[in-house]
mmCIF file of all heavy atoms in Angstrom:
data_model
loop_
_atom_site.group_PDB
_atom_site.id
_atom_site.type_symbol
_atom_site.label_atom_id
_atom_site.label_comp_id
_atom_site.label_asym_id
_atom_site.label_seq_id
_atom_site.Cartn_x
_atom_site.Cartn_y
_atom_site.Cartn_z
ATOM 1 N N ASN F 1210 27.365 -7.663 5.298
ATOM 2 C CA ASN F 1210 27.182 -6.206 5.343
ATOM 3 C C ASN F 1210 26.530 -5.772 6.650
ATOM 4 O O ASN F 1210 26.700 -4.635 7.075
ATOM 5 C CB ASN F 1210 26.280 -5.762 4.189
ATOM 6 C CG ASN F 1210 27.015 -5.741 2.855
ATOM 7 O OD1 ASN F 1210 28.182 -5.352 2.788
ATOM 8 N ND2 ASN F 1210 26.344 -6.154 1.798
ATOM 9 N N HIS F 1211 25.763 -6.698 7.237
ATOM 10 C CA HIS F 1211 24.924 -6.308 8.383
ATOM 11 C C HIS F 1211 24.628 -7.581 9.170
ATOM 12 O O HIS F 1211 24.305 -8.607 8.586
ATOM 13 C CB HIS F 1211 23.656 -5.670 7.811
ATOM 14 C CG HIS F 1211 22.603 -5.277 8.780
ATOM 15 N ND1 HIS F 1211 22.866 -4.884 10.064
ATOM 16 C CD2 HIS F 1211 21.247 -5.180 8.632
ATOM 17 C CE1 HIS F 1211 21.721 -4.576 10.656
ATOM 18 N NE2 HIS F 1211 20.724 -4.757 9.813
ATOM 19 N N ILE F 1274 28.651 2.152 6.128
ATOM 20 C CA ILE F 1274 27.479 3.037 6.223
ATOM 21 C C ILE F 1274 26.845 2.816 7.605
ATOM 22 O O ILE F 1274 25.747 2.279 7.724
ATOM 23 C CB ILE F 1274 26.476 2.824 5.061
ATOM 24 C CG1 ILE F 1274 26.103 1.332 4.884
ATOM 25 C CG2 ILE F 1274 27.018 3.351 3.757
ATOM 26 C CD1 ILE F 1274 24.884 1.115 3.958
ATOM 27 N N PRO F 1275 27.584 3.233 8.666
ATOM 28 C CA PRO F 1275 27.147 2.931 10.023
ATOM 29 C C PRO F 1275 25.740 3.423 10.311
ATOM 30 O O PRO F 1275 25.331 4.472 9.814
ATOM 31 C CB PRO F 1275 28.177 3.648 10.904
ATOM 32 C CG PRO F 1275 28.864 4.627 10.014
ATOM 33 C CD PRO F 1275 28.792 4.077 8.632
ATOM 34 N N ASN F 1276 25.023 2.627 11.090
ATOM 35 C CA ASN F 1276 23.664 2.972 11.536
ATOM 36 C C ASN F 1276 22.617 3.002 10.442
ATOM 37 O O ASN F 1276 21.591 3.660 10.567
ATOM 38 C CB ASN F 1276 23.672 4.274 12.338
ATOM 39 C CG ASN F 1276 24.558 4.147 13.558
ATOM 40 O OD1 ASN F 1276 24.515 3.123 14.252
ATOM 41 N ND2 ASN F 1276 25.402 5.121 13.793
ATOM 42 N N VAL F 1277 22.893 2.278 9.373
ATOM 43 C CA VAL F 1277 21.829 1.999 8.404
ATOM 44 C C VAL F 1277 21.782 0.471 8.253
ATOM 45 O O VAL F 1277 22.239 -0.072 7.300
ATOM 46 C CB VAL F 1277 22.115 2.594 7.015
ATOM 47 C CG1 VAL F 1277 20.897 2.451 6.130
ATOM 48 C CG2 VAL F 1277 22.609 4.002 7.056
ATOM 49 N N HIS F 1278 21.486 -0.244 9.268
ATOM 50 C CA HIS F 1278 20.587 0.153 10.315
ATOM 51 C C HIS F 1278 21.195 -0.102 11.703
ATOM 52 O O HIS F 1278 20.774 0.503 12.693
ATOM 53 C CB HIS F 1278 19.300 -0.634 9.983
ATOM 54 C CG HIS F 1278 18.436 -1.259 10.925
ATOM 55 N ND1 HIS F 1278 18.133 -2.585 11.008
ATOM 56 C CD2 HIS F 1278 17.701 -0.666 11.879
ATOM 57 C CE1 HIS F 1278 17.252 -2.805 11.911
ATOM 58 N NE2 HIS F 1278 16.969 -1.687 12.464
ATOM 59 N N TRP F 1279 22.216 -0.917 11.777
ATOM 60 C CA TRP F 1279 22.968 -1.153 13.013
ATOM 61 C C TRP F 1279 24.343 -0.472 12.873
ATOM 62 O O TRP F 1279 24.725 -0.076 11.765
ATOM 63 C CB TRP F 1279 23.157 -2.677 13.231
ATOM 64 C CG TRP F 1279 21.973 -3.425 13.773
ATOM 65 C CD1 TRP F 1279 20.685 -2.964 13.884
ATOM 66 C CD2 TRP F 1279 21.968 -4.770 14.278
ATOM 67 N NE1 TRP F 1279 19.892 -3.946 14.427
ATOM 68 C CE2 TRP F 1279 20.642 -5.072 14.681
ATOM 69 C CE3 TRP F 1279 22.944 -5.761 14.432
ATOM 70 C CZ2 TRP F 1279 20.288 -6.300 15.214
ATOM 71 C CZ3 TRP F 1279 22.585 -6.989 14.965
ATOM 72 C CH2 TRP F 1279 21.262 -7.247 15.367
ATOM 73 N N PRO F 1280 25.093 -0.366 13.973
ATOM 74 C CA PRO F 1280 26.361 0.384 13.880
ATOM 75 C C PRO F 1280 27.394 -0.227 12.934
ATOM 76 O O PRO F 1280 28.261 0.481 12.405
ATOM 77 C CB PRO F 1280 26.886 0.378 15.326
ATOM 78 C CG PRO F 1280 26.085 -0.645 16.061
ATOM 79 C CD PRO F 1280 24.785 -0.785 15.351
ATOM 80 N N THR F 1282 26.962 -1.656 10.021
ATOM 81 C CA THR F 1282 26.535 -1.839 8.623
ATOM 82 C C THR F 1282 27.522 -1.274 7.613
ATOM 83 O O THR F 1282 28.077 -0.191 7.787
ATOM 84 C CB THR F 1282 25.149 -1.193 8.396
ATOM 85 O OG1 THR F 1282 24.308 -1.542 9.482
ATOM 86 C CG2 THR F 1282 24.542 -1.647 7.094
ATOM 87 N N MET F 1283 27.748 -2.029 6.568
ATOM 88 C CA MET F 1283 28.570 -1.549 5.449
ATOM 89 C C MET F 1283 27.885 -1.921 4.142
ATOM 90 O O MET F 1283 26.910 -2.685 4.130
ATOM 91 C CB MET F 1283 29.976 -2.150 5.508
ATOM 92 C CG MET F 1283 30.022 -3.655 5.326
ATOM 93 S SD MET F 1283 31.728 -4.247 5.299
ATOM 94 C CE MET F 1283 31.503 -5.834 4.471
ATOM 95 N N PRO F 1295 23.696 -2.721 -0.719
ATOM 96 C CA PRO F 1295 23.636 -1.880 0.490
ATOM 97 C C PRO F 1295 22.856 -2.481 1.648
ATOM 98 O O PRO F 1295 22.591 -1.792 2.627
ATOM 99 C CB PRO F 1295 22.938 -0.627 -0.032
ATOM 100 C CG PRO F 1295 21.995 -1.158 -1.078
ATOM 101 C CD PRO F 1295 22.577 -2.425 -1.626
ATOM 102 N N CYS F 1296 22.473 -3.755 1.535
ATOM 103 C CA CYS F 1296 21.707 -4.448 2.567
ATOM 104 C C CYS F 1296 20.394 -3.722 2.869
ATOM 105 O O CYS F 1296 19.563 -3.583 2.004
ATOM 106 C CB CYS F 1296 22.534 -4.701 3.813
ATOM 107 S SG CYS F 1296 21.817 -6.082 4.749
ATOM 108 N N ASP F 1297 20.193 -3.235 4.116
ATOM 109 C CA ASP F 1297 18.885 -2.653 4.470
ATOM 110 C C ASP F 1297 18.588 -1.347 3.719
ATOM 111 O O ASP F 1297 17.422 -1.010 3.502
ATOM 112 C CB ASP F 1297 18.819 -2.383 5.978
ATOM 113 C CG ASP F 1297 18.461 -3.630 6.772
ATOM 114 O OD1 ASP F 1297 18.067 -4.639 6.170
ATOM 115 O OD2 ASP F 1297 18.570 -3.579 8.008
ATOM 116 N N ALA F 1298 19.621 -0.581 3.401
ATOM 117 C CA ALA F 1298 19.380 0.686 2.701
ATOM 118 C C ALA F 1298 18.769 0.379 1.330
ATOM 119 O O ALA F 1298 19.143 -0.599 0.687
ATOM 120 C CB ALA F 1298 20.681 1.458 2.542
ATOM 121 N N PHE F 1299 17.851 1.198 0.906
ATOM 122 C CA PHE F 1299 17.147 1.055 -0.390
ATOM 123 C C PHE F 1299 16.264 -0.206 -0.451
ATOM 124 O O PHE F 1299 15.891 -0.655 -1.515
ATOM 125 C CB PHE F 1299 18.125 1.080 -1.580
ATOM 126 C CG PHE F 1299 19.023 2.289 -1.578
ATOM 127 C CD1 PHE F 1299 20.400 2.174 -1.468
ATOM 128 C CD2 PHE F 1299 18.478 3.564 -1.662
ATOM 129 C CE1 PHE F 1299 21.227 3.292 -1.439
ATOM 130 C CE2 PHE F 1299 19.294 4.692 -1.637
ATOM 131 C CZ PHE F 1299 20.680 4.553 -1.522
ATOM 132 N N VAL F 1335 13.798 2.450 9.233
ATOM 133 C CA VAL F 1335 14.942 3.313 8.918
ATOM 134 C C VAL F 1335 14.834 4.733 9.492
ATOM 135 O O VAL F 1335 15.856 5.375 9.745
ATOM 136 C CB VAL F 1335 15.152 3.382 7.377
ATOM 137 C CG1 VAL F 1335 16.448 4.096 7.022
ATOM 138 C CG2 VAL F 1335 15.147 1.984 6.741
ATOM 139 N N PHE F 1338 17.142 6.456 11.776
ATOM 140 C CA PHE F 1338 18.510 6.606 11.285
ATOM 141 C C PHE F 1338 18.555 7.478 10.028
ATOM 142 O O PHE F 1338 19.387 7.279 9.136
ATOM 143 C CB PHE F 1338 19.118 5.220 11.009
ATOM 144 C CG PHE F 1338 18.896 4.280 12.154
ATOM 145 C CD1 PHE F 1338 17.906 3.305 12.101
ATOM 146 C CD2 PHE F 1338 19.642 4.400 13.317
ATOM 147 C CE1 PHE F 1338 17.674 2.459 13.177
ATOM 148 C CE2 PHE F 1338 19.418 3.559 14.401
ATOM 149 C CZ PHE F 1338 18.421 2.584 14.335
ATOM 150 N N VAL F 1340 19.477 10.515 9.494
ATOM 151 C CA VAL F 1340 20.701 11.297 9.253
ATOM 152 C C VAL F 1340 21.807 10.378 8.718
ATOM 153 O O VAL F 1340 22.503 10.701 7.743
ATOM 154 C CB VAL F 1340 21.153 12.031 10.542
ATOM 155 C CG1 VAL F 1340 22.505 12.700 10.350
ATOM 156 C CG2 VAL F 1340 20.101 13.057 10.955
ATOM 157 N N ALA F 1341 21.936 9.189 9.329
ATOM 158 C CA ALA F 1341 22.927 8.210 8.857
ATOM 159 C C ALA F 1341 22.598 7.801 7.416
ATOM 160 O O ALA F 1341 23.501 7.593 6.592
ATOM 161 C CB ALA F 1341 22.929 6.987 9.757
ATOM 162 N N THR F 1342 21.320 7.701 7.119
ATOM 163 C CA THR F 1342 20.906 7.321 5.764
ATOM 164 C C THR F 1342 21.276 8.406 4.760
ATOM 165 O O THR F 1342 21.724 8.113 3.652
ATOM 166 C CB THR F 1342 19.381 7.049 5.746
ATOM 167 O OG1 THR F 1342 19.101 6.040 6.724
ATOM 168 C CG2 THR F 1342 18.912 6.585 4.383
ATOM 169 N N GLN F 1343 21.106 9.658 5.172
ATOM 170 C CA GLN F 1343 21.499 10.749 4.265
ATOM 171 C C GLN F 1343 22.998 10.675 3.952
ATOM 172 O O GLN F 1343 23.415 10.882 2.815
ATOM 173 C CB GLN F 1343 21.150 12.106 4.890
ATOM 174 C CG GLN F 1343 19.647 12.399 4.758
ATOM 175 C CD GLN F 1343 19.164 13.551 5.615
ATOM 176 O OE1 GLN F 1343 19.705 13.810 6.686
ATOM 177 N NE2 GLN F 1343 18.119 14.230 5.158
ATOM 178 N N ALA F 1345 24.793 7.934 3.978
ATOM 179 C CA ALA F 1345 24.976 6.762 3.102
ATOM 180 C C ALA F 1345 24.583 7.112 1.664
ATOM 181 O O ALA F 1345 25.230 6.668 0.707
ATOM 182 C CB ALA F 1345 24.143 5.593 3.606
ATOM 183 N N TYR F 1376 14.551 7.376 -1.396
ATOM 184 C CA TYR F 1376 15.183 7.357 -0.075
ATOM 185 C C TYR F 1376 15.614 8.763 0.365
ATOM 186 O O TYR F 1376 15.537 9.098 1.549
ATOM 187 C CB TYR F 1376 16.368 6.377 -0.068
ATOM 188 C CG TYR F 1376 15.988 5.061 0.581
ATOM 189 C CD1 TYR F 1376 15.075 4.216 -0.023
ATOM 190 C CD2 TYR F 1376 16.503 4.681 1.814
ATOM 191 C CE1 TYR F 1376 14.689 3.025 0.584
ATOM 192 C CE2 TYR F 1376 16.128 3.491 2.428
ATOM 193 C CZ TYR F 1376 15.221 2.673 1.812
ATOM 194 O OH TYR F 1376 14.838 1.505 2.427
#
Side-chain angles (χ1 to χ4, degrees):
N1210 283 321
H1211 176 30
I1274 51 167
N1276 300 317
V1277 188
H1278 141 241
W1279 282 12
T1282 315
M1283 65 176 201
C1296 203
D1297 278 349
F1299 306 118
V1335 188
F1338 312 102
V1340 173
T1342 304
Q1343 282 167 330
Y1376 259 68

